[in-house]
Amino acid sequence: MANMDFFNPVRILSGEGCFRNFKDFVAFGSRCAIVCGKTSAKKCGALADAEAALRAAGIDYMIFDRIEPNPMLATVYEGGRLARVFGAEFVLAIGGGSPLDAGKAVAAFAANPDLAPEEIYTAPRKPALPILAVNTTAGTGSEVTPYSILTVPSLENKKSFAGDDLYAKIAFCDPTYTLSLPRSFTMSTAVDALSHAVEGYFMKKANAVSDALAEKAIVLLQTGIRAIVAGDLSLKTRETLLYGSTLAGMVISRTGTGFVHSTGYMLTYNHGTPHGWANAYFLPDFVACMAKAAPERAETIYKLCGVADSAELAALLGSCDEMPLDLKLSDELCVRYAEKTIGAKNVANAVYTVGYDELLAILRKRVGA
């Protein structure tokens, strides 16, 4: 079997009650650092379930609930310090992509007291503390990836670090935790997940396993997106999106992402555009660009999404009235963002390498004033 390299060691538990009923926490230690945001883990009930389960298991725990959207490097560094002072032996991350990515970083800094914040990207390090991930959104797939993506103000951008030690030991995927998410947020995270599957399909590292996962994920996610547009936010829709998102996360755990993400980061960092929402601007043009090198794959993507071409894909992603794709930027900003993102490794890792002029044209087309 040619072109095969796939590794994903995460144990996935899914279904209603999969986390609430889990009891074997002592396998990971006797002291736990819970990492979450201020409100989301509480609102969906996952934090209360975590505290009850840990108390029942006789596990001492601390709560670090300072994680902001698009978590800051300084925040997770402090979380790692506090977890280390507490003597945490494992980390329980609860939330969407931001808390899960943050939990990985907290686990890494807790195990590496001598690392300065930005050294996490360059210096050798000891393995992170064991990580358990409780997913409360259906978008990032962080529960099954080895990446921690953080905001670094000195770079005016996000930056990731990775390692096999950042894979969660267990990912808990209970769709009931996503029931409280509003429609706009649900749509944004669904588009993020779709972006993972589609981008991964065109990466040079794609193989038979990642392709199979991507194809299944795309079918689930486009089905879920159409349900959101129709106003159907039932548990069935939530399940469809969550499982599609997890499969898409498994795709990018091996392939990485394309220029949709590196360009979208500009909108998120500089304009506060939610991550999936930012991706929605650029995903249709990404597929159109990749068609220049892999036309058959592009046609497969369109078919799986239930559209004829990139224009219909753009119409689908822009059809939720609570997520209007109406951002308008000056030409100066379009030029700046194209210059900042064209050298990203995401661009070079795809089967077709988009050029600067092409990327600038896409920015002008989608977000130009």
Side-chain angles (χ1 to χ4, degrees), residues 75-302:
T75 301
V76 297
Y77 180 75
E78 174 65 4
R81 185 188 71 80
L82 292 174
R84 187 168 57 252
V85 170
F86 175 71
E89 296 175 288
F90 68 100
V91 167
L92 174 59
I94 305 173
S98 292
L100 298 190
D101 281 8
K104 297 173 188 178
V106 168
F109 280 121
N112 290 272
D114 297 328
L115 285 186
E118 295 200 22
E119 289 181 325
I120 199 71
Y121 297 108
T122 57
R125 61 179 175 81
K126 298 176 183 177
L129 300 182
I131 303 156
L132 305 181
V134 181
N135 199 8
T136 64
T137 69
T140 69
S142 182
E143 70 276 11
V144 291
T145 73
Y147 312 124
S148 175
I149 303 171
L150 306 170
T151 299
V152 185
S154 63
L155 301 176
E156 295 185 340
N157 205 346
K158 292 182 176 183
K159 186 174 182 178
S160 66
F161 74 102
D164 288 350
D165 59 319
L166 300 187
Y167 279 113
K169 300 302 181 183
I170 304 177
F172 298 92
C173 300
D174 183 339
T176 63
Y177 291 144
T178 69
L179 285 170
S180 62
L181 298 176
R183 185 171 177 234
S184 60
F185 191 95
T186 304
M187 181 68 173
S188 178
T189 53
V191 173
D192 185 24
L194 181 66
S195 299
H196 294 158
V198 172
E199 289 174 82
Y201 203 65
F202 291 105
M203 293 296 104
K204 292 174 182 176
K205 291 183 178 180
N207 57 42
V209 174
S210 67
D211 283 352
L213 292 169
E215 290 171 6
K216 180 62 175 178
I218 290 167
V219 172
L220 290 170
L221 292 164
Q222 69 93 0
T223 300
I225 286 171
R226 292 177 190 279
I228 296 169
V229 172
D232 176 6
L233 297 176
S234 64
L235 180 59
K236 180 179 179 181
T237 296
R238 303 288 188 175
E239 287 178 330
T240 298
L241 292 169
L242 182 56
Y243 300 152
S245 172
T246 297
L247 293 179
M250 293 175 71
V251 174
I252 61 168
S253 74
R254 302 317 303 162
T255 66
T257 55
F259 76 71
V260 176
H261 272 65
S262 53
T263 310
Y265 288 157
M266 294 292 98
L267 306 189
T268 298
Y269 182 85
N270 293 289
H271 305 280
T273 306
H275 175 54
W277 196 329
N279 288 353
Y281 285 98
F282 307 116
L283 187 61
D285 295 299
F286 172 82
V287 180
C289 286
M290 295 303 110
K292 298 174 183 179
E296 299 87 357
R297 284 185 166 252
E299 286 302 316
T300 297
I301 292 296
Y302 294 140

